Structures are given as C-alpha cells and as structure tokens.
Amino acid sequence: MKAKLNYIFSLLLMGYVLVGCDQGFTEVNTNKVDPTSLAPSMVLNKAIISTNYLDGFGTLGMLTYNFGIVQQIITPYGSSLSGANYDQINNSNTPLVWTNFYRNVLKQLVAVLGQTKDDPQQVNTYNAARIWKAYVFMILTDTYGDVPYFQAGQGYTAEIITPKYDPQQEIYKDILKELEEAATALTTDLPPVTTDILYGGDVAKWRKLAYSFMLRAGMRLTKVDPAMAETYVKKAVAGGVLQSNADNSILRHTSTYNNFIANHLAAREKTNFYLAAPFVNYLKENNDPRLPIFAVRYVGATGGQEQVSARASSDPKVQIGMPMGYNDVTITSVLAQNGVASLWDFSQVNLNTVLKLDAPEFHVTYAQTLFLLAEAAVRGWVSGSEADYFQKGIRANLEQMASYGSVIPEATIKAYLEAHPLVDSKALEQINTQYWVASFLDGTEAFANFRRSGYPALAKNPYPGSEVKGDFIRRLPYPDSEIVVNSASLNEAIGRQGPNTLDTRIWWDKK
C-alpha cells in the first residue's frame, strides 16, 4: 500500500513539474524585440537606398566605366580598375549594376508590390514602388539593352529562375505606361506615409517625380521613335514635372551612413582616380564657377603620400585634368607638357564638397528636367522659350551646389548666365553639354544622355589597346553568370540585339 501511495505521489509531482515548466513557456520564448515582418514602406526605403549601391566596391562599375566613358573621371591604372580608361572589358566591374539591382533592389520592389497591390490603404506605397521600379529598369536596360523585365524578381514567388529577356522597345513602352498609371493613381485621400525616405509621404512630389522620369524616358526615344517621344513628353509636362530644387530626388547621407563613392575615393582609391582633361578644360575655358567645387589639386605632389592638405588647392587657375589614353607608365611621357610633377599632381574630385562622406546623391534634378524641356522646346514639342529653360537649368544646377555646402553668389550666377546665352545654331550641343555638367557624379544618366544626344562632342579615347571598334563604348556586356544559369534566354537576346560586346548599340541608341 505504501509503495502504491509513493507511486501516485510521484506521478502527481511529475505532472505538477511538467505543468509548472510549461506555464508561460510561449511568452518567455517569444522574442518581443526583433521584428518578424517589415512594413512595405520600409522595404521600399531599402530598395531606394540600395539603388545607390550597398558598399564602396559597388561603385567601381561607375568609377571604371560610366565616369570614364563620358570623360569626367579617369584612372591610369589597369587590373581591377581597367574599363573605360582602356576601352576594355573588365568582367569584375561590368556586372555590378546587374547584380545589385536584380539581387537586391528589384527583389525588394517586387516584394513591396506583392504586399500592397490589393490593399486599399497602401495605394500610395504601391504606386511609389511602381515609379521606382520604372526608374530602376531604365538604368538596367540603358546599361545592358534587352534584360529580364516582365518575369524579373519572380524566382521566389513564381519559381521563375530562368527569366526571359525582353526587347528594350517593349520595356520602354511598359515603363512609360507604369509611370503614367502610377502618377494618376497616387491619392491625397490617405494619410501621408511619413517614413518615406524621399519625400516624407508628400504625394504631390512623388507625382512630379513620376512625370519627370516620364520626361526623361520619353526623351530617350528622340532618335528611334520621335512620335512616341513627343507624346510622352507632352503627357509629362501636362502632368507636372519638378518645379524647383526642393523637388529633387535626393539620397541623403551622414557621417555614419556614407556616400559610397566618397567613401571609396577617400580611402582605398584615394590616389587612383583623377578628373579627366576634357571635363576640366571645358569648365576652365568657360570660367565655370562649379570648377572649384568639383576639383582639388595637390599641387606638386610626386606620390600619393604627398597628397596632403598643405598642397590642396581648388583655385580654378591651377586645375589640370588627366589626359585620356594613358596608363600609369605611359602617362609619364606627357607630364612635362601638362605642367605636372607626376600623375599624382593632376586634379581630383573635391572630397571636401561634392564627395564629402555625407554628400548627397541625386536621382533626378530640377536642372536636368529643365534641360530636357529646353531640348523639347527646340523640337517644338512643348511651349515656352528654349532659351529660358536653358538659363533656368544652368541657374538650378549652380544653386544646387548649396546641397554640398558651397553656395555660389548671385552675382557670380548672373555673370555666368550673361556669358552663356543659348545660340540657336548650337542649341542642342549647348543644352546637352550643360546636361553633362549638371549630371556630374550621376554616371548612369550622363552615360545614357551622351549616347542619346551625341553631346558633348568628345574625342575618342586614344588608348592603343582599345577593344572598341567604334568611337565609344555603347553598352556594358551581360554578366558571365548568365551564361551559366540562363544561357537560353541570354542567347535569344544576343541573337536579337547583337554581339555581347562594348560596341553593340541598344535599341534607342540609333545612329
């Protein structure tokens, strides 16, 4: 009997212990700090931030290709830094736009679109994501040509792991359609999404952004489909584009969250990249007040260790751009005729102004928009004076320098404007050359508009080892990884578009 009672007591005790151990188990083991999901608006913010790259190395595609093709920033060095400086393929840097956008930006945008499409309370986030997706795809297709578009970003949701490449013509048609629909669908009936990193939920500014992207996309088609170009330019103007620098699409930085181009050029690549002679010469010859903001020269430096503040000068008179067509050995043959002590003595981008660690980056600006309107006016597509748009565009970019902490005095602005009136016979060249200056450090846009307009009138890079048969690089080749993972779709695109080389022109880049 005693044994039986002990057995019953043991069972009761065990049950009590088990119940006691289980009591509050779920609450204790639930992490109440880490989020299990993110609001779509925050994921959209991440996509916007990621568009400007995730680290300093991501900027190497811009530094080695885009800036060099338009002859604004150049390096004499090869190996991992070869690219537009030698007019050669560098398989490490040509895929960087592709890998960042498809693996990060578009994956995030597709997630936002999927989460918000059927939610009436998320109308503005949904349409903001459509606007940003259109912008991202403009950069992708302008860089490579035909790319996966309609099936892009659906590897997880629809198990499409070998997406079809779509013709650029079809991509642009859908981009323009998306921008029009998204701009129209934005509403002020809902509370603003105050966490929005660009405009704090200001619907009016998002709408102006959409129509400004539409203007840009429409103008891309001036050579290949002028009728469509005119149609969408008129729609953009009727919808309402950027009206001041306060409307600019800006990614702001801090001393903690750095501008990654600045970060890279202030550290690892500090002594490797220089302002190109065509860019510096244009600014000097035109007494451009932006030159001392863009440039610094460590006068007399004979090595990287001598690029110190005591030698630093932003005086326009002493700026000397690095000539195109030389490597770090052959450049020594032209040092004397350029008046420099060494390759380290050429002008560089100013790390105290436009490339401070907390310097902003721009996606589309009021100045760029005005220059496009000036060209559209020349073509008779919009009302207003092309000369007025042109002068306002110059002023807008000069005033934009205040974003870098460099305010250009009003008297200086007026003097520059008076010295640079629009001349009818040179209007397209003047407009698009100013667009080139206004797009400094916006490499993807400078590269695209240079191909579209043919301006500025740059000379071919004379580097003797060039792999480019024509005058300039027209596109970047597809990543080697696509040959392995998506060869059938890739080969279809190449068969339609042309060889996977630096010379092949994309659809809108018509001769």
Side-chain angles (χ1 to χ4, degrees), residues 8-26:
I8 294 172
F9 176 76
S10 298
L11 288 176
L12 290 172
L13 180 62
M14 185 179 297
Y16 174 80
V17 171
L18 290 174
V19 171
C21 288
D22 185 62
Q23 188 174 2
F25 179 85
T26 301

Side-chain angles (χ1 to χ4, degrees), residues 323-361:
M324 301 292 297
Y326 299 92
N327 59 34
D328 57 314
V329 175
T330 59
I331 192 72
T332 59
S333 66
V334 294
L335 297 178
Q337 70 188 62
N338 280 278
V340 294
S342 71
L343 71 85
W344 298 279
D345 192 14
F346 286 106
S347 297
Q348 292 179 288
V349 187
N350 196 330
L351 299 180
N352 293 314
T353 53
V354 292
L355 280 186
K356 293 185 295 184
L357 290 178
D358 61 353
E361 291 179 271

Side-chain angles (χ1 to χ4, degrees), residues 242-370:
L242 305 187
Q243 297 299 307
S244 72
N245 279 330
D247 295 331
N248 289 343
S249 178
I250 308 172
L251 183 64
R252 295 172 177 83
H253 298 98
T254 68
S255 58
T256 302
Y257 178 74
N258 295 166
N259 176 316
F260 283 123
I261 297 177
N263 183 290
H264 218 47
L265 290 185
R268 181 184 174 92
E269 307 298 343
K270 182 173 173 58
T271 64
N272 291 341
F273 286 90
Y274 297 81
L275 289 176
F279 189 57
V280 172
N281 291 344
Y282 174 82
L283 297 174
K284 285 185 73 172
E285 290 163 7
N286 287 276
N287 296 315
D288 198 301
R290 289 166 288 196
L291 179 56
I293 300 171
F294 292 161
V296 66
R297 180 179 163 216
Y298 297 96
V299 180
T302 59
Q305 73 279 3
E306 293 188 2
Q307 289 184 344
V308 294
S309 57
R311 294 180 179 274
S313 174
S314 289
D315 183 345
K317 296 185 182 65
V318 304
Q319 302 309 316
I320 302 173
M322 181 174 283
M324 301 292 297
Y326 299 92
N327 59 34
D328 57 314
V329 175
T330 59
I331 192 72
T332 59
S333 66
V334 294
L335 297 178
Q337 70 188 62
N338 280 278
V340 294
S342 71
L343 71 85
W344 298 279
D345 192 14
F346 286 106
S347 297
Q348 292 179 288
V349 187
N350 196 330
L351 299 180
N352 293 314
T353 53
V354 292
L355 280 186
K356 293 185 295 184
L357 290 178
D358 61 353
E361 291 179 271
F362 297 86
H363 307 111
V364 63
T365 67
Y366 179 48
Q368 290 171 326
T369 301
L370 285 165

Side-chain angles (χ1 to χ4, degrees), residues 25 45 98 107 170 175 183 278 297 300 350 440:
F25 179 85
N45 283 346
W98 183 287
K107 182 172 68 174
E170 298 304 315
I175 283 173
R297 180 179 163 216
N350 196 330
F440 182 56

Side-chain angles (χ1 to χ4, degrees), residues 370-371 373-380 382-392 422 424 427 431:
L370 285 165
F371 290 132
L373 290 173
E375 181 176 338
V378 170
R379 296 176 182 276
V382 299
S383 60
S385 163
E386 54 263 37
D388 187 48
Y389 286 128
F390 177 69
Q391 291 266 301
K392 286 181 177 177
L422 189 67
D424 288 346
I431 291 166

Side-chain angles (χ1 to χ4, degrees), residues 28-266:
V28 170
N29 287 279
T30 298
N31 189 330
K32 297 180 180 180
V33 179
D34 292 340
T36 57
S37 63
L38 288 174
S41 61
M42 302 303 290
V43 180
L44 175 57
N45 283 346
K46 184 65 170 66
I48 292 170
I49 292 170
S50 297
T51 302
N52 292 73
Y53 301 100
L54 300 170
D55 55 41
F57 286 96
T59 66
L60 279 177
M62 195 83 70
L63 286 164
T64 58
Y65 279 100
N66 301 63
F67 295 154
I69 294 168
V70 299
Q71 299 182 11
Q72 291 180 332
I73 299 174
I74 202 74
T75 176
Y77 295 103
S79 188
S80 64
L81 300 184
S82 65
N85 57 341
Y86 298 169
D87 271 355
Q88 294 176 352
I89 292 177
N90 180 335
N91 289 325
S92 296
N93 294 331
T94 52
L96 293 177
V97 174
W98 183 287
T99 54
N100 180 44
F101 280 20
Y102 279 116
R103 295 178 186 178
N104 298 298
V105 181
L106 285 168
K107 182 172 68 174
Q108 292 148 3
L109 288 172
V110 169
V112 173
L113 292 169
Q115 293 171 29
T116 59
K117 183 176 182 180
D118 299 318
D119 186 347
Q121 298 302 310
Q122 302 268 15
V123 168
N124 288 332
T125 297
Y126 173 68
N127 287 289
R130 293 173 77 186
I131 294 166
W132 202 258
K133 183 169 173 272
Y135 168 61
V136 166
F137 265 113
M138 277 184 67
I139 295 175
L140 263 173
T141 189
D142 291 349
T143 301
Y144 299 101
D146 295 2
V147 297
Y149 178 75
F150 291 104
Q151 295 182 344
Q154 299 183 44
Y156 178 75
T157 57
E159 297 185 0
I160 299 175
I161 58 174
T162 55
K164 182 180 180 293
Y165 283 57
D166 298 293
Q168 188 178 53
Q169 182 176 5
E170 298 304 315
I171 294 171
Y172 257 87
K173 285 181 181 178
D174 200 68
I175 283 173
L176 289 163
K177 184 267 295 181
E178 284 289 288
L179 289 169
E180 183 174 13
E181 290 181 359
T184 303
L186 289 167
T187 178
T188 56
D189 293 340
L190 295 171
V193 182
T194 56
T195 54
D196 163 25
I197 197 171
L198 283 186
Y199 295 123
D202 188 325
V203 168
K205 289 190 175 183
W206 269 102
R207 187 173 286 120
K208 284 185 274 190
L209 178 66
Y211 284 120
S212 298
F213 282 152
M214 182 187 291
L215 173 64
R216 178 182 285 186
M219 290 299 289
R220 285 284 197 272
L221 312 183
T222 50
K223 290 191 294 186
V224 72
D225 194 338
M228 181 180 286
E230 181 179 0
T231 295
Y232 277 96
V233 166
K234 288 179 176 178
K235 286 184 178 183
V237 173
V241 295
L242 305 187
Q243 297 299 307
S244 72
N245 279 330
D247 295 331
N248 289 343
S249 178
I250 308 172
L251 183 64
R252 295 172 177 83
H253 298 98
T254 68
S255 58
T256 302
Y257 178 74
N258 295 166
N259 176 316
F260 283 123
I261 297 177
N263 183 290
H264 218 47
L265 290 185

